[in-house]
Amino acid sequence: MHSDTIAAIATAMAGAGIGIVRISGDQAVEIADKVFRKKGGGTLTEQESHTIHYGSVWEDGEMIDEVMTLLMRAPRSYTSEDTVEIDCHGGVYVTKRILEAVLHAGARLAEPGEFTKRAFLNGRIDLSQAESVMDVIQAKNDLSLKNSIRQLSGALLHEIREIRGALLHEIAFIESALDDPEHISLDGYPQTLDERLGKAETKIARLLKSSESGRLIGEGIATVIVGKPNVGKSSLLNALLGEERAIVTEIAGTTRDTLEEQMNLNGILLRVTDTAGIRDTEDVVEKIGVERSKKYLADADLVIYVADASTRLDQNDFEILDLLAEHKVIILLNKSDLPAVTTEEDFAAAVSRLPMWKEKKEDLKMITFSAKERSGMELLEQTVQDMFFAGEICSDQEICITNLRHKTALSDALSSILLARKSIADGMPEDFYSIDLMAAYEKLGMIIGEAVEDDLVNEIFSKFCMGK
Amino acid sequence: MRFSANSVWASKAGRQKGMEEHMSMEHGYLREAYDVAVVGAGHAGCEAALAAARLGLETIIFTVSVDSIALMPCNPNIGGSSKGHLVREIDALGGEMGINIDKTFIQSKMLNKSKGPAVHSLRAQADKADYSMEMRRTLQNTKHLTIRQAEVSEILTENDLLNIDLIKNNTEYDTFETDDTSETGNDATGQNPVLDRAQIAAVRTVSGAVYCCKAVVLCTGTYLRARCLTGEMITYTGPNGLMAANHLTDSLVSHGIEMLRFKTGTPARIDRNSIDFSKMEEQKGDERIVPFSFTTNPDDVQIDQVSCWLTYTNERTHEIIRNNLDRSPIYAGIIEGTGPRYCPSIEDKVVKFADKNRHQIFLEPEGIHTNEMYVGGMSSSLPEDVQYEMYRTLPGLEHAKIVRNAYAIEYDCINPNQLDASLEFKKIRGLFSGGQFNGSSGYEEAACQGLIAGINAAMEIFGREPVILDRSEAYIGVLIDDLVTKENKEPYRMMTSRAEYRLLLRQDNADLRLTKKGYEIGLISKERYDAVCKKEERIEEELSRIAKVRIGAGKEVQALLEAYGSIPLNTGVSLAELIRRPELDYDKLAPIDPGRPEIPADVAEQVNILIKYDGYITRQMKQVEHYKKLEKKKIPEGFDYDQVPSLRIEARQKLKLYRPVSIGQASRISGVSPADISVLLVYMEQMRRRQV
């Protein structure tokens, strides 16, 4: 019934030790075969239904992960369609990369609730559940749309609108000339258009690049740096970034606001927030910073707690540590370049006395560190990576998927622009350009949640003077 | 002549008898019976009446003036961008417009020839008087068709007719008063508007005569409560000073039909003897004329053509207009109707496009029997003294004499969302409509709707399925789908950009797309049908032959390529690949394609296009496949959207208002999201399974 093949991540990524990418549709097996290398050779296509296969997923000559694939042929699957499930080691990064590989191999990213919809339409879900199926579809779409728009920054929204506006103007010009050739001429226009499309292409390519690094909508592991004032939090951030970004002074409480930076740590994307030092304060401005830190903590996937190893731990440290008991925490004993007052053993002993840290004390992740001398940096990177691949930390799945949707739309828009430019280069007639340009316009509209409706006709009439 | 007082109308069977019995005079008024009554004899009405009559139904066509049959009250041309497509499609379905213009044109041009085949569009200048007369002659000579000059003032449903008969027989009126809700389909009562439809039974004219019929096609054009405005001067007439139809609107409103008010305008006509053409650029027709109709032999239409002339407005023109804007009824706020943005008056152009210091103006002959020249691009509703002043600022028009003033015209039309895609009213069975009455504009848009409305009136009487063309089959399908599915805020005009599959909907292949349909309907002859089948076969044969032909890098080949400025070959290529080169085509490659059979030019044209634009055409065909899937999922008549949980409120309201026939149509309604469509699909599947 459905000819296209869809794919999505079927597991909740948060903390799961396993990630599942599900592919469903006529070409599910064929597509899976493009990315999956079965151990001992052979293809899934040759295999019986309801079998499990060990192997690995590859893209562009690079192995992404070792996986198990589950093959279920129609109609004996959740959707009643040919289905392949790829079980990987979990974690957002790997699961997402596998999904992307599957999409590149020809699957389409599933709409929210689409597996459920297909399962129902194909008779796999009981009639009595129809209403909840409908609710799920509506709710998931709602959420997806909200996420999509909420996660876009104002600047990005503006940029996409601008590119769309420019495209629409060109389409409208072509169309008005086709409609009224005696009033509007296209002589010499293809060259002009090609230049303008070159600009649009650059802009979209740039957006696509930032979507690849997750910058488009703040994807990445929400990492928060906390600690008392003047323990070296900003210096840590600078060390991570390798640039002077936060204000670093000797005066306690200089980071009045929070700073956010994205960085790529060996392929793992971190969204790092440096907070004002948390402590009781009477200073109103600083108080806001402290409140905000607490708020950031609430959304954090990973917390890096910075302590000053050259001083004694005090009540402030213990109060802050109480706030962190429920989080994934890495403890940095900073200022190891100075004579050590608090050692790793001291810290562990102090923590073990905190009632809320009871369960954590066996598995403390502690690193002796010097932001000034950059020592301990490699160990920090390794620790983050280990935690990530162990599935201990991960970023928000919704954001990840939203970003993937945007990325797909951007890359489709880019291909359409390229096709239009190719048509110009090939000397195709002008009416062919607007077919591709309209496709690009539509795709970009999907990112910002705008349908096409009567945009073109309105643009034609408002911008170009037609005859009669 | 006096007829028996005993009506033959008492029984429905009586209506089926011969014509002579079908007339009676009762209580001083006339009664007649037909199968189909068409109201209005413009471009829509003529097609509707011809279609119904040609399908063998007794048809009567009403006009306020027999002299105005197929009148062209505005521009003197047929066709143009996308409109030419419509005419070709009308022709392939068995309509008359293409044949009529082929008989009466005085100049012809294929527009957009330098662009892709999808946007080539034929446009002809018509001799307006000949066009009108020729169409009248065709109507007169058509069997089963009666022409009647009368103003239709009411539509009558079965209940209305019953009441009239009861009053006449002095029966208590109240007893049989119509249940209003079933007539108007008022949703508030909870009654299903579709299942409780009223049935059309007759129309009544101002004289009181009743014309019983099984179907009515309303094609009232711009005549309903029309008023014309030239500056401060307002006349309550239709176009060209013809009588307006002032009564029908009330009857429609009382039957629950929602009316809109639109406006349009036309420029002045200038005496050709007062024009200095030496100051203008001559615009000639094409050297080789292509006819509109697939039935016209191209050799028969190579006539001596008449020229059009090009001149321009200037700053002085614009200044005069700006200085007199307060006297323009539109800018003074006297006009209430919504005008079309695509043919703005010269006032609008000057105001909206203030940065343009000149506008092109075309002087077009209205015919060979008249001196009048149409001033294309300069429609206006400014007062006549201003008109004189402004027209005379144009080079060549310094001493222009106006024969007819420019004017704006306002008229009643309907909100077309009240129609099904068959052009039948959702509320009243047997009531169809077409043309400007449906909120469109243009002769061609009108004609194709009239044709479809006439065909579907007949289909309903025959108990056959309605003819509905979809967006992937024809511009006509796009036009009607847009009208009945989208919000319509101004007179609707066809444009190629409205057709998402325009590469497939070319004017050159209208016969291949639609002749079979026309044959099934019954308006196309067996010979024409066979010819199209033969053409299809030949195209297929030639395509599969070419697929196998490879061209080597021989001397003769290189020489030919060089002659056309094409890059020489390094190695052998397929013939198709060479055809795809922009500077080459199928015909040019004939010398290096020795195995080529003799094929007619129209077959070669198709082969060339299909190979040359193969990539794009294949892409669109894939899109069409996806589109068709959703179109095929029909929503049952009377579907209750209130029963569907999870539909968003806006979607629910829109769906209830438009009542789409398919999931595809539902998905095009603004305010209905993809999630709503998924929800609908799930709900329909649930319904289906419950029934099993």
Side-chain angles (χ1 to χ4, degrees), chain B residues 433-472:
Chain B
S433 65
Q436 263 170 309
F437 176 77
N438 286 354
S440 66
S441 109
Y443 310 140
E444 305 80 359
E445 286 88 340
C448 71
Q449 290 174 65
L451 176 64
I452 297 294
I455 288 171
N456 283 331
M459 293 301 120
E460 186 167 283
I461 292 170
F462 295 139
R464 287 170 59 184
E465 283 293 304
V467 173
I468 294 171
L469 301 171
D470 74 34
R471 301 182 74 88
S472 69

Side-chain angles (χ1 to χ4, degrees), chain A residues 134-149:
Chain A
M134 284 183 262
D135 283 343
V136 164
I137 291 171
Q138 195 66 263
K140 282 197 174 179
N141 272 280
D142 232 35
L143 185 71
S144 160
L145 194 67
K146 273 188 201 137
N147 277 337
S148 175
I149 294 163

Side-chain angles (χ1 to χ4, degrees), chain A residues 120 135 138 179 182 423 436, chain B residues 360 493 582 616 619 646 689:
Chain A
F120 183 84
D135 283 343
Q138 195 66 263
D179 206 69
E182 286 171 322
S423 295
D436 292 316
Chain B
Q360 279 179 314
R493 200 197 117 176
Y616 274 90
R619 253 167 74 194
S646 314
R689 277 202 244 163

Side-chain angles (χ1 to χ4, degrees), chain A residues 10 27 40 92 104 124 188 202 219 244 261 310 339 386 395 420 430 434 436:
Chain A
Q27 291 177 295
V92 174
H104 289 154
R124 292 299 289 192
T202 314
E219 191 183 333
E244 293 283 314
E261 281 295 340
S310 68
D386 289 348
S395 63
E430 293 88 343
S434 54
D436 292 316

Side-chain angles (χ1 to χ4, degrees), chain A residues 5 48 231 273 311 315 385 419:
Chain A
T5 297
E48 302 259 310
V231 293
T273 310
T311 63
Q315 195 52 36
Q385 207 173 353
L419 274 175

Side-chain angles (χ1 to χ4, degrees), chain A residues 228-458:
Chain A
K228 287 186 302 182
N230 209 27
V231 293
K233 298 184 297 296
S234 302
S235 318
L236 169 64
L237 182 64
N238 288 340
L240 283 168
L241 289 169
E243 59 181 291
E244 293 283 314
R245 173 70 170 75
I247 319 155
V248 189
T249 67
E250 293 299 313
I251 307 154
T254 37
T255 310
R256 296 261 168 120
D257 209 334
T258 50
L259 287 171
E260 190 181 291
E261 281 295 340
Q262 266 167 327
M263 62 193 69
N264 200 316
L265 212 66
N266 300 333
I268 302 161
L269 195 71
L270 297 187
R271 206 170 70 240
V272 186
T273 310
D274 172 24
T275 62
I278 297 181
R279 62 160 193 185
D280 283 333
T281 173
E282 297 303 312
D283 184 333
V284 180
V285 180
E286 200 172 304
K287 184 104 186 164
I288 297 169
V290 172
E291 287 305 314
R292 197 170 295 171
S293 299
K294 287 185 181 168
K295 189 180 143 280
Y296 274 94
L297 268 183
D299 295 330
D301 300 316
L302 171 68
V303 178
I304 299 177
Y305 180 71
V306 186
D308 184 346
S310 68
T311 63
R312 293 204 173 280
L313 295 178
D314 61 19
Q315 195 52 36
N316 279 330
D317 285 293
F318 298 128
E319 278 173 22
I320 299 168
L321 284 169
D322 269 349
L323 289 176
L324 307 182
E326 300 295 313
H327 289 90
K328 305 283 177 196
V329 184
I330 296 174
I331 295 153
L332 286 192
L333 295 176
N334 195 18
K335 305 196 184 176
S336 65
D337 46 299
L338 299 174
V341 176
T342 305
T343 62
E344 290 196 17
E345 289 71 28
D346 296 339
F347 198 93
V351 163
S352 67
R353 288 195 292 275
L354 293 173
M356 294 180 76
W357 278 69
K358 242 183 210 154
E359 285 171 27
K360 275 198 166 152
K361 65 183 179 192
E362 299 304 319
D363 187 30
L364 281 183
K365 293 184 175 66
M366 224 173 329
I367 297 162
T368 304
F369 193 83
S370 166
K372 200 173 172 187
E373 293 177 351
R374 307 223 160 181
S375 63
M377 192 57 125
E378 275 179 28
L379 188 57
L380 174 63
E381 288 181 3
Q382 189 58 48
T383 309
V384 172
Q385 207 173 353
D386 289 348
M387 289 172 85
F388 183 79
F389 284 114
E392 281 185 52
I393 49 170
C394 67
S395 63
D396 187 347
Q397 175 174 0
E398 281 303 330
I399 288 181
C400 214
I401 294 306
T402 306
N403 197 15
L404 201 54
R405 252 179 234 296
H406 290 175
K407 197 172 148 183
T408 314
L410 281 171
S411 110
D412 288 351
L414 188 63
S415 335
S416 294
I417 299 272
L418 290 172
L419 274 175
R421 296 193 71 188
K422 184 174 183 305
S423 295
I424 297 174
D426 288 351
M428 294 284 275
E430 293 88 343
D431 49 307
F432 287 86
Y433 313 158
S434 54
I435 296 172
D436 292 316
L437 297 185
M438 202 63 208
Y441 179 77
E442 275 173 30
K443 289 290 176 190
L444 292 175
M446 287 168 72
I447 298 174
I448 55 173
E450 282 174 9
V452 171
E453 309 278 334
D454 285 332
D455 294 359
L456 176 58
V457 173
N458 291 335

